[in-house]
Amino acid sequence: MIDDNGEQLGIMPPPQALAVARAKGLDLVEISPTAVPPVCRIMDFGKYQYEQQKRTRAAKKHQKVIEVKEIKFRPKVDEHDYQFKKKHIERFLEDGDKVKATIFFRGREMAHPEIGRRILERLTGELVDVAVIESAPQKEGNQMHTILAPRPGVKKPKPVTEARPVVATTSQHVVGTTSEHVVGTTSEDVPTE
């Protein structure tokens, strides 16, 4: 048995241990029931439960929930669309999320899975410095996918903002009916009566 200060009180029968705990106004908690003899501790169990809940709340607060984002490609993806989707994948990886890159095959495209495999291998090759491949390209039904995770230790660089000089411009608005009052026009542009 262990008392509330962490000191060992030795082996004692359960009724005597309960009497010691009640004398101190605390609870007798069985810590290790499988040990021979079982280990018990005198403590304020309500306070112990509160501290446990507080620790789990603090741990949950500092924890980042990792989402799996999915980007869909087609075997006939255009270069601009590929680059655009690759930039989205880079942004998701920088935010700490995993990415599932999927290629959808339709009709006769399913006879050529090597086209989709080439696209996914190109993607993983270009993202090797920011991503880790969690699963190699694999085909399931009419789609092929790979899962990318952010590379540990790679942080996104913070954008550098430059101070730009503010240029103040003034504009003059001239209202008039004759050509001598209108700015920037010639006598040919102004209608005559």
Side-chain angles (χ1 to χ4, degrees):
M1 188 166 114
I2 304 169
D3 73 347
D4 55 330
N5 296 327
E7 297 175 12
Q8 295 210 4
L9 299 178
I11 300 171
M12 58 179 68
Q16 184 183 357
L18 274 171
V20 171
R22 285 189 186 135
K24 291 188 175 188
L26 299 172
D27 303 314
L28 182 67
V29 180
E30 190 173 29
I31 294 178
S32 179
T34 57
V36 178
V39 179
C40 294
R41 183 180 189 125
I42 297 174
M43 66 169 71
D44 185 357
F45 192 64
K47 183 179 177 183
Y48 172 75
Q49 283 183 319
Y50 171 73
E51 288 174 356
Q52 284 290 98
Q53 289 174 350
K54 197 172 169 182
R55 270 188 236 122
T56 56
R57 276 195 304 266
K60 199 179 280 188
K61 187 186 289 185
H62 297 293
Q63 160 178 56
K64 165 97 170 85
V65 177
I66 297 175
E67 294 182 40
V68 177
K69 308 275 188 166
E70 183 172 10
I71 299 286
K72 298 177 182 178
F73 292 93
R74 295 292 316 277
K76 298 177 183 176
V77 67
D78 188 49
E79 182 61 26
H80 176 263
D81 295 337
Y82 171 83
Q83 294 296 333
F84 189 78
K85 291 180 180 192
K86 187 178 100 171
K87 280 198 167 75
H88 280 297
I89 291 172
E90 288 172 343
R91 191 182 75 216
F92 293 148
L93 291 169
E94 286 173 355
D95 291 343
D97 296 322
K98 292 183 181 182
V99 178
K100 180 179 181 180
T102 306
I103 304 229
F104 278 95
F105 298 99
R106 288 196 312 206
R108 286 185 266 171
E109 294 172 347
M110 292 179 66
H112 301 285
E114 69 276 359
I115 296 172
R117 185 173 300 281
R118 263 189 266 136
I119 292 171
L120 291 178
E121 287 173 353
R122 175 184 170 198
L123 181 69
T124 56
E126 291 177 3
L127 296 174
V128 74
D129 41 327
V130 292
V132 175
I133 302 165
E134 267 195 8
S135 71
Q138 54 190 3
K139 191 166 191 295
E140 291 178 3
N142 67 340
Q143 58 186 1
M144 181 180 289
H145 69 271
T146 184
I147 297 177
L148 304 169
R151 184 172 289 281
V154 175
K155 296 288 179 186
K156 66 178 179 179
K158 294 194 177 185
V160 178
T161 56
E162 296 179 15
R164 295 183 194 159
V166 177
V167 179
T169 59
T170 59
S171 61
Q172 295 177 350
H173 296 284
V174 178
V175 179
T177 56
T178 61
S179 62
E180 56 194 43
H181 290 285
V182 178
V183 177
T185 60
T186 61
S187 60
E188 299 157 359
D189 295 337
V190 178
T192 56
E193 294 179 15

